[in-house]
Amino acid sequence: MAASLLGHCIFGLRRQAGTAKHATDPGTPIEPGSTTANLGQAASRSLPFWPTSPRVQRAAKIWGHGLRVESMPLDTWCDRVLPDAARDGLVIGINWSGPRLVGWSLTPKEVLNRLAVAN
């Protein structure tokens, strides 16, 4: 990970223990408590993340139902989460916004390539 991105955090959502799923829930967990979103019949499942706490808090309010904001260091996300998502065939939802939470979904490799170029 290039030095200019070290120390940065990425934010995601986690379902609180014991919280039931609802019709507006973004998806089924890929591991205990984590959240994915279904992109339709022909599309992959997406694991959404946001660059700031206020943005992910808005997403938690839209999806609601027991989701809470969690953060992790960007280097941990790149070294652990992205390889796991690639292995599981997931794409990464980046900075989804608006009332329907829409935005870019990229493969983990595309995310890593874009981060490398950003440095």
Side-chain angles (χ1 to χ4, degrees):
M1 174 74 42
S4 65
L5 290 177
L6 288 178
H8 288 267
C9 289
I10 192 83
F11 297 86
L13 295 170
R14 184 173 294 272
R15 187 181 341 278
Q16 293 177 353
T19 304
K21 288 180 53 179
H22 294 79
T24 59
D25 193 295
T28 56
I30 59 165
E31 63 181 355
S34 63
T35 303
T36 64
N38 189 347
L39 298 177
Q41 295 286 357
S44 298
R45 292 188 63 80
S46 186
L47 188 57
F49 291 93
W50 291 263
T52 67
S53 180
R55 287 181 183 239
V56 72
Q57 287 172 2
R58 282 193 296 270
K61 285 180 183 176
I62 290 170
W63 276 331
H65 306 297
L67 296 174
R68 62 185 163 94
V69 174
E70 288 200 351
S71 69
M72 72 178 72
L74 186 60
D75 58 338
T76 300
W77 185 66
C78 291
D79 294 342
R80 294 185 189 167
V81 175
L82 294 180
D84 288 348
R87 184 190 66 242
D88 295 340
L90 298 171
V91 293
I92 305 300
I94 301 294
N95 202 25
W96 291 352
S97 62
R100 296 183 59 200
L101 294 174
V102 296
W104 293 99
S105 290
L106 306 168
T107 66
K109 183 176 180 177
E110 290 170 325
V111 172
L112 289 170
N113 288 341
R114 287 176 183 232
L115 287 171
V117 169
N119 284 316

